Amino acid sequence: DRLGVAERVRIVEADLRDGLAALPAPDAVFVGGGVTREVVDAAWAALPAGGRLVLHGVTLEAEALLVDCHRAWGGALVRLAVETAAPIGGLLGWTPARAVVQWSGTKG
């Protein structure tokens, strides 16, 4: 609502097997974690031409799957790392969070 897109965006939280079957073909699918081959295949199959899929992962298994997606469908493969400043004794140092691997692609 605050960003002015509430009328154009519908967020659905559901198990993939139930959620996609109950909806019209999506314009885009975002998977923020827990990505598996089953999730990727179902989401990609549900997208029409021009549909966009965005996947995030933090495990080595997820990263390998996202690399497979990049090989198969192109798109963009990005690794994001965030660090926050935290005290180390009387000084400050960087504390890293887990890196997130993101793959995004548009179905041709």
Side-chain angles (χ1 to χ4, degrees):
D1 288 339
R2 185 172 49 86
L3 298 174
V5 297
E7 318 240 325
R8 296 181 294 152
V9 174
R10 180 176 175 197
I11 298 172
V12 176
E13 292 184 51
D15 181 271
L16 182 72
R17 291 172 294 264
D18 301 327
L20 281 177
L23 297 169
D27 296 320
V29 175
F30 170 74
V31 181
V35 65
T36 64
R37 174 53 66 185
E38 177 188 31
V39 166
V40 170
D41 290 344
W44 191 255
L47 288 171
R52 188 157 180 80
L53 180 57
V54 178
L55 309 170
H56 283 181
V58 297
T59 66
L60 292 175
E61 293 80 4
E63 185 171 337
L65 179 55
L66 301 187
V67 169
D68 287 347
C69 292
H70 187 259
R71 284 186 184 130
W73 300 311
L77 188 61
V78 177
R79 188 168 188 189
L80 307 164
V82 176
E83 298 183 12
T84 56
I88 299 177
L91 306 172
L92 282 177
W94 293 108
T95 301
R98 290 190 186 277
V100 174
V101 178
Q102 178 189 68
W103 176 79
S104 59
T106 302
K107 191 170 182 180

